[in-house]
C-alpha cells in the first residue's frame, strides 16, 4: 500500500538526483581537464613569447598547440597506463623540488623589488581588471582547481589497492599538503611582484612566465623557472586526463550517457577505456574552437 508507493517515489527521486549529480560531475571533469590543457598551451605560448619577443601566437596557432597537448596526453594515457603510478611519484618529487627552487630563486634575486609583508599577504587592487567588485571571482579559480582535484581522486578508486583505506587518506591528505605547498609557492611570488599594470599586459594573458622573467631579471632566468612549472603541468595534464576518462567510463557503465556501451568499453590489450579517452579528447578539441572567435 502506502509504504510501497513511498518507497517507489523515494527511489525515483534518488535515481533522478544521482543522474543529475553524475552529469554535473562529468561536465565538471571535462571542463576542468579542458582548462588545464588549454592553460598549459597558453602558458607554453607565453613562455616562447618572452624568450622571443617578436613572436606572438595567433588564435589558430594557440589552438594547434592546444590540440598537440590534448593528443599527447591521450597517447600517454593509452600506451603508458602501466607506468602512471611512477608518473605520479615523479610528479610529487618534481613539484617539491620546483617549489623549493622557485622560493629560493625569487627570494634571493627579487630584481623587480620587494614588497612589505602587509602588501604580500593582504594587498587587493581591483582597478586594472575592469570588473569592479566582481574581481574576486578570479580568485575562486584556484579554489575550484583544488576542490575538483579532491573530487577526482574518487574516479581512480577502482584502480587502487585497498581503496576503502587509501582513497579517503588521499582525499584527506590532499588538503593540508596542497595548502602548505601552495603557500610556499605563492608567497614568494606575491612578495616580489612587478607592477600590476605591467602584469596584465603579459604575453598570451599569462602572468606567471612574465612575473618569473621580470623577478629573475632576464628571459633566461625566467625560462629556467617556468620550465620547471611546465613539466609539472605536463604531469597534471596526464593525471587529470586519466581521472576524467575514468569518470566518463563510470557514468557510461551506469548507462547514463548516449551510446553508453561504446564509451564503457575497456580495451583488452592496454586495459584502459580508450573510447572514453577519445570522447574526452574530442569534447576538449571541439570546445577549443571557441578560442578562434573569442
Amino acid at each position: 500500500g502506502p509504504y510501497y508507493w513511498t518507497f517507489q517515489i523515494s527511489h525515483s527521486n534518488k535515481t533522478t538526483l544521482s543522474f543529475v549529480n553524475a552529469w554535473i560531475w562529468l561536465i565538471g571533469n571535462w571542463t576542468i581537464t579542458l582548462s588545464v590543457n588549454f592553460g598549459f598551451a597558453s602558458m607554453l605560448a607565453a613562455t616562447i613569447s618572452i624568450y622571443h619577443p617578436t613572436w606572438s601566437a595567433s588564435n589558430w596557432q594557440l589552438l594547434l598547440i592546444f590540440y598537440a597537448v590534448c593528443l599527447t596526453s591521450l597517447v600517454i594515457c593509452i600506451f603508458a597506463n602501466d607506468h602512471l603510478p611512477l608518473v605520479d611519484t615523479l610528479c610529487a618529487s618534481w613539484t617539491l623540488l620546483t617549489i623549493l627552487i622557485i622560493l629560493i630563486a625569487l627570494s634571493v634575486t627579487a630584481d623587480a623589488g620587494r614588497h612589505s609583508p602587509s602588501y604580500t599577504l593582504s594587498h587587493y587592487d581591483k582597478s586594472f581588471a575592469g570588473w569592479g567588485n566582481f574581481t574576486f571571482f578570479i580568485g575562486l579559480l584556484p579554489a575550484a582547481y583544488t576542490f575538483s582535484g579532491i573530487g577526482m581522486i574518487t574516479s581512480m578508486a577502482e584502480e587502487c589497492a585497498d581503496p576503502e583505506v587509501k582513497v579517503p587518506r588521499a582525499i584527506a591528505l590532499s588538503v593540508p599538503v596542497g595548502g602548505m605547498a601552495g603557500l610556499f609557492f605563492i608567497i614568494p611570488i606575491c612578495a616580489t611582484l612587478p607592477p600590476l599594470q605591467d602584469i596584465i599586459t603579459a604575453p598570451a594573458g599569462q602572468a606567471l612566465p612574465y612575473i618569473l622573467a621580470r623577478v629573475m631579471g632576464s628571459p633566461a632566468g625566467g625560462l629556467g623557472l617556468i620550465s620547471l612549472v611546465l613539466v609539472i603541468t605536463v604531469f597534471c595534464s596526464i593525471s587529470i586526463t586519466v581521472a576524467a576518462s575514468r569518470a566518463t567510463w563510470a557514468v557510461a557503465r551506469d548507462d547514463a550517457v548516449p551510446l553508453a556501451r561504446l564509451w564503457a568499453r575497456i580495451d583488452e590489450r592496454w586495459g584502459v577505456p580508450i573510447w572514453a579517452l577519445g570522447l574526452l579528447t574530442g569534447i576538449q578539441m571541439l570546445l577549443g574552437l571557441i578560442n578562434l572567435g573569442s
Side-chain angles (χ1 to χ4, degrees):
Y3 296 105
Y4 172 79
W5 289 112
T6 300
F7 171 79
Q8 289 295 98
I9 293 172
S10 175
H11 179 72
S12 176
N13 288 340
K14 289 180 179 179
T15 302
T16 302
L17 289 174
S18 297
F19 181 82
V20 171
N21 181 70
W23 267 98
I24 293 174
W25 183 55
L26 189 59
I27 293 172
N29 276 267
W30 288 344
T31 51
I32 201 71
T33 306
L34 168 69
S35 179
V36 168
N37 288 335
F38 199 89
F40 177 35
S42 301
M43 191 181 299
L44 187 59
T47 301
I48 298 171
S49 295
I50 287 174
Y51 204 68
H52 296 284
T54 58
W55 182 83
S56 177
S58 61
N59 283 354
W60 69 268
Q61 288 174 326
L62 183 58
L63 182 66
L64 291 179
I65 296 173
F66 166 64
Y67 280 178
V69 171
C70 290
L71 293 175
T72 300
S73 295
L74 174 66
V75 170
I76 293 174
C77 291
I78 292 176
F79 298 108
N81 184 64
D82 292 340
H83 303 291
L84 292 181
L86 175 61
V87 170
D88 285 338
T89 302
L90 291 174
C91 176
S93 303
W94 189 271
T95 300
L96 176 60
L97 182 65
T98 298
I99 290 173
L100 291 175
I101 291 174
I102 290 179
L103 186 153
I104 294 170
L106 296 187
S107 301
V108 171
T109 308
D111 196 71
R114 304 177 191 275
H115 299 293
S116 65
S118 61
Y119 181 98
T120 301
L121 299 175
S122 63
H123 182 72
Y124 179 64
D125 189 344
K126 59 188 179 184
S127 61
F128 300 106
W131 288 87
N133 292 325
F134 288 96
T135 53
F136 75 91
F137 277 112
I138 299 171
L140 295 179
L141 183 58
Y145 275 123
T146 301
F147 285 108
S148 68
I150 294 171
M152 293 179 84
I153 293 173
T154 60
S155 301
M156 305 304 298
E158 295 193 50
E159 298 175 56
C160 174
D162 300 323
E164 65 277 5
V165 174
K166 292 185 178 179
V167 171
R169 182 182 297 166
I171 292 173
L173 288 176
S174 67
V175 178
V177 172
M180 290 300 297
L183 286 175
F184 279 109
F185 178 75
I186 196 64
I187 287 178
I189 293 176
C190 290
T192 57
L193 281 177
L196 295 178
Q197 59 267 33
D198 296 340
I199 295 175
I200 63 170
T201 59
Q206 290 290 319
L208 189 58
Y210 175 81
I211 291 171
L212 295 180
R214 281 288 303 274
V215 175
M216 293 303 295
S218 68
L223 180 63
L225 295 185
I226 197 63
S227 296
L228 300 174
V229 178
L230 289 173
V231 173
I232 292 176
T233 314
V234 172
F235 287 133
C236 184
S237 175
I238 295 169
S239 297
I240 206 164
T241 299
V242 171
S245 70
R246 277 30 174 198
T248 305
W249 171 79
V251 176
R253 185 186 57 176
D254 291 340
D255 201 26
V257 295
L259 302 176
R261 291 185 179 180
L262 179 63
W263 315 126
R265 289 181 183 176
I266 300 292
D267 186 90
E268 294 181 358
R269 293 168 300 173
W270 306 107
V272 296
I274 289 182
W275 289 96
L277 278 163
L279 176 62
L280 168 66
T281 303
I283 289 172
Q284 290 183 82
M285 296 175 77
L286 287 174
L287 292 175
L289 293 172
I290 295 173
N291 186 64
L292 292 180
S294 174

